[in-house]
């Protein structure tokens, strides 16, 4: 999987975290591992310009998605396996996200993770224009994020256990003898 990230926002973001959550969402949606994604973080003015140009809506927004190849998550059983594809572009506005995060009472990092998964789902054809679509998309978004955070916690637990084991084994040697 190839994910490129460029931060032109002037806002400090954890690029590796956003790439990781995007990769997790793409894998969770059973997209070919050779898929490509471009991510861009922009400032409020740039996002406002994009919002007007592409959506004909005034002012900035939090995330916009620009799909490239039409993909169906998981494919269909009667079709040949899909190969690598370009998913498209996700444009995030960290400053807008920070304001939303503050209003929602959680961190900007979490808000950007939510918006990244939201953007991936839009690239895969999900929408939230109708109530049923909204329930499906936001339910999937919440599920993917919950799995992502659970995996992070499990990886942290394993790393701590490995460090404790290494410390213990380093002191006593393999068979419990002092070195």
């Amino acid at each position: 999987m190839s994910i490129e990230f460029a931060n032109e926002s002037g806002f400090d973001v954890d690029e590796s975290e956003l790439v990781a959550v995007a990769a997790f969402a793409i894998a969770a949606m059973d997209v070919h591992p050779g898929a490509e994604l471009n991510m861009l973080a922009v400032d409020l003015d740039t996002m406002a310009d994009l919002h007007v140009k592409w959506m004909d809506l005034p002012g900035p927004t939090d995330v916009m998605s620009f799909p490239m190849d039409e993909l169906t998550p998981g494919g269909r059983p009667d079709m040949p396996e899909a190969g690598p594809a370009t998913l498209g572009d996700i444009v995030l506005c960290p400053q807008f996200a920070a304001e939303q995060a503050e209003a929602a009472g959680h961190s900007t990092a979490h808000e950007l993770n939510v918006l990244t998964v939201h953007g991936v789902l839009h690239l895969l054809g999900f929408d939230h224009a109708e109530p049923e679509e909204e329930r499906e998309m936001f339910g999937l978004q919440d599920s993917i994020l919950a799995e992502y955070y659970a995996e992070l916690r499990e990886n942290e637990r394993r790393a701590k256990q490995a460090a404790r084991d290494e410390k213990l084994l380093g002191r006593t040697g393999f068979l419990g003898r002092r070195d």
Side-chain angles (χ1 to χ4, degrees):
M1 183 170 316
S2 172
I3 300 175
E4 298 293 323
F5 191 101
N7 186 359
E8 299 175 3
S9 70
F11 200 93
D12 188 31
V13 298
D14 186 345
E15 295 176 23
S16 62
E17 171 81 3
L18 295 175
V19 167
V21 78
F24 187 90
I26 291 166
M29 294 305 296
D30 200 24
V31 174
H32 191 283
E36 297 177 9
L37 170 67
N38 297 306
M39 298 177 69
L40 177 64
V42 298
D43 60 28
L44 287 169
D45 291 338
T46 302
M47 185 58 100
D49 290 344
L50 289 170
H51 205 209
V52 168
K53 180 177 181 178
W54 295 103
M55 303 296 289
D56 200 24
L57 296 170
T61 189
D62 49 9
V63 61
M64 293 183 71
S65 298
F66 300 94
M68 296 297 223
D69 296 336
E70 298 222 1
L71 299 174
T72 303
R76 290 187 1 216
D78 61 335
M79 294 186 68
E81 186 174 326
T86 300
L87 294 177
D89 302 324
I90 295 174
V91 181
L92 300 164
C93 185
Q95 187 176 349
F96 197 94
E99 294 167 10
Q100 286 184 159
E102 186 175 335
H106 55 245
S107 71
T108 300
H110 173 70
E111 185 72 16
L112 287 167
N113 286 347
V114 169
L115 296 173
T116 297
V117 173
H118 190 86
V120 167
L121 292 175
H122 272 307
L123 291 178
L124 295 174
F126 289 88
D127 203 355
H128 47 85
E130 300 297 324
E132 187 172 315
E133 291 175 333
E134 183 176 348
R135 278 191 299 278
E136 178 185 18
M137 184 174 178
F138 283 82
L140 192 53
Q141 176 181 293
D142 292 346
S143 174
I144 290 169
L145 280 168
E147 290 173 23
Y148 175 74
Y149 287 130
E151 185 173 292
L152 281 182
R153 287 189 301 274
E154 178 61 17
N155 289 343
E156 288 172 3
R157 186 196 65 76
R158 286 182 180 170
K160 286 178 184 176
Q161 184 63 49
R164 285 193 298 268
D165 291 349
E166 180 62 33
K167 187 176 178 182
L168 178 64
L169 291 174
R171 281 193 208 148
T172 61
F174 179 70
L175 297 174
R177 294 176 288 185
R178 297 256 177 226
D179 290 335

